[in-house]
Amino acid sequence: MRAAFAHQYGPPQSVSVSTTATPHPAPHEILVKVQAASVTAADARLRAGTFPPGFTPIARAVFGITRPRNPILGSSFSGIVVKVGDKIQGLTPGQEVCGMTGMAMGAHAEFLTIKPEKVTHKPAEVNHDDAAAIMFGGSTALYFLRDLGNLHSGMSVLVNGASGDLGTQAVQLAHHAGARVTAVTSAVNTDLVRSLGATSIHDYHATPVTEINEQFDIVFDTVGNISPRQGKKLITPDGTLLLAVASLRETLIARGQVKAGAAPERVGDFDYLLEQLRQGHLRSVIEQRMTLDDIAIAHARVSSGRKVGSIIVHPHHAE
Ligand SMILES: NC(=O)c1ccc[n+]([C@@H]2O[C@H](COP(=O)([O-])OP(=O)(O)OC[C@H]3O[C@@H](n4cnc5c(N)ncnc54)[C@H](OP(=O)(O)O)[C@@H]3O)[C@@H](O)[C@H]2O)c1
């Protein structure tokens, strides 16, 4: 099969496509033909080998000291089951599934193997691109806003980085929950974030987020430019500061109204997001669709920090 390989930590051009043996599913695994996979901020961090301050030694111990342990990156995908292991029950070839591969990565390839408990059925009404696009930003935004922020109707929510993968999903989830959404983005993305449900929008070039003279029930930082001390000034006395990007120190000392950490990958959350997509309460925001051959271009765009929503790669050439 063809797959994108990052054999070294390095710049976007260090990722290239080559062929390798198609994996065989172990008895408790399925083999999935990947129809669409997202190229995410996590993929770009893993490719570059750079992580928020303090995390690099830990992350490299987990993902590879001198180079990515699994050179095939990519985690969020949607595809078709083509083979099942001997011990698999309840999944058969031909079924459409989507999910996240976690630390195993491996989604930027024509095929991947995965345990069935990490995938869910893709509803027929949701296409592969939308399913792959929703996983990363959607599940992270859901975890932070709903689980850590106790998001509910009537709240005021500030989303910093509203045009990114996490931000576009956070704006929609908060809006759909009945919250009043304030977005921080640049002028060029104003119309987009308004269309997603933001009613108040700040261009950070004109007003840096930390200078917004207002307080919110939830502040969700997806950029990493709000310190806990600055963020506390932006929340109401009972408010919550949610840091999707935080240094190791900030993560370790986060308590009370300040919350940080890694979002889990839960099939129940994928199902929730897919159902919201199916019902039209949520939409994917896909900036570009590319072939696997353009993987380095995709990585460069993600690493630019300017990506809007998601970038999707199609590992198979159109048939
Ligand atoms: N804690 C967790 O579990 C977890 C999970 C997933 C991701 N993350 C982290 O969350 C971060 C965001 O991920 P993502 O996928 O949303 O990234 P992304 O899609 O690459 O974000 C890019 C967006 O950020 C906007 N942006 C850049 N600088 C900004 C600023 N100063 N103010 C406001 N917006 C700004 C850009 O808009 P403009 O071009 O308009 O500036 C662009 O649309 C990453 O660092 C990722 O590693 C954490």
Side-chain angles (χ1 to χ4, degrees):
M1 68 168 184
R2 298 171 77 246
F5 288 84
H7 289 296
Q8 303 295 331
Y9 291 124
Q13 313 84 273
S14 56
V15 190
S16 60
V17 176
S18 55
T19 56
T20 185
T22 301
H24 285 289
H28 289 286
E29 289 179 337
I30 57 174
L31 178 69
V32 177
K33 179 181 181 187
V34 180
Q35 297 294 94
S38 186
V39 184
T40 68
D43 296 322
R45 282 194 187 284
L46 279 173
R47 184 215 72 237
T50 53
F51 304 91
F55 276 109
T56 300
I58 301 167
R60 286 204 177 201
V62 173
F63 291 104
I65 303 287
T66 55
R67 56 177 181 267
R69 193 164 284 130
N70 181 353
I72 306 176
L73 305 179
S75 157
S76 306
F77 71 94
S78 183
I80 302 166
V81 178
V82 287
K83 213 181 264 183
V84 302
D86 298 342
K87 301 270 167 60
I88 297 292
Q89 293 177 339
L91 274 174
T92 51
Q95 290 180 322
E96 297 185 320
V97 294
C98 53
M100 293 179 74
T101 60
M103 290 195 299
M105 309 302 287
H108 294 164
E110 289 183 319
F111 297 91
L112 61 82
T113 52
I114 191 167
K115 294 212 164 80
E117 55 268 26
K118 295 184 80 74
V119 304
T120 190
H121 292 281
K122 180 187 76 59
E125 302 92 326
V126 175
N127 66 44
H128 286 293
D129 288 3
D130 288 343
I134 204 85
M135 297 283 141
F136 181 78
S139 62
T140 306
L142 190 62
Y143 170 70
F144 275 94
L145 292 178
R146 183 194 61 190
D147 301 349
L148 300 187
N150 190 24
L151 174 68
H152 58 262
S153 180
M155 278 182 149
S156 56
V157 176
L158 176 85
V159 179
N160 186 37
S163 54
D165 196 347
L166 272 55
T168 51
Q169 297 307 316
V171 169
Q172 294 180 84
L173 289 167
H175 172 65
H176 183 62
R180 292 184 310 284
V181 184
T182 297
V184 179
T185 186
S186 60
V188 69
N189 293 315
T190 299
D191 290 345
L192 168 71
V193 300
R194 184 174 288 117
S195 77
L196 299 175
T199 48
S200 173
I201 299 167
H202 294 273
D203 172 4
Y204 65 86
H205 293 292
T207 310
V209 62
T210 51
E211 289 177 22
I212 294 173
N213 195 14
E214 209 181 324
Q215 290 190 320
F216 304 87
D217 297 314
I218 294 177
V219 170
F220 183 35
D221 179 22
T222 75
V223 177
N225 60 352
I226 305 178
S227 71
R229 197 163 57 83
Q230 292 168 321
K232 280 184 189 162
K233 293 186 188 149
L234 287 169
I235 55 173
T236 56
D238 295 326
T240 310
L241 173 64
L242 303 172
L243 304 175
V245 190
S247 67
L248 178 62
R249 185 176 173 279
E250 288 166 346
T251 303
L252 291 175
I253 63 171
R255 53 179 53 86
Q257 290 172 271
V258 182
K259 298 178 196 287
E265 297 176 1
R266 295 182 295 213
V267 164
D269 292 347
F270 304 159
D271 285 335
Y272 175 84
L273 294 164
L274 291 163
E275 182 58 17
Q276 299 305 306
L277 267 180
R278 203 181 64 78
Q279 292 187 16
H281 299 318
L282 206 60
R283 70 175 171 93
S284 72
V285 176
I286 299 176
E287 179 194 278
Q288 291 183 67
R289 294 170 173 82
M290 299 181 176
T291 67
L292 200 59
D293 298 302
D294 288 329
I295 190 76
I297 298 171
H299 271 270
R301 179 64 177 161
V302 180
S303 288
S304 76
R306 301 274 83 80
K307 171 170 67 73
V308 175
S310 307
I311 292 179
I312 291 294
V313 285
H314 296 145
H316 295 269
H317 289 297
E319 289 156 8

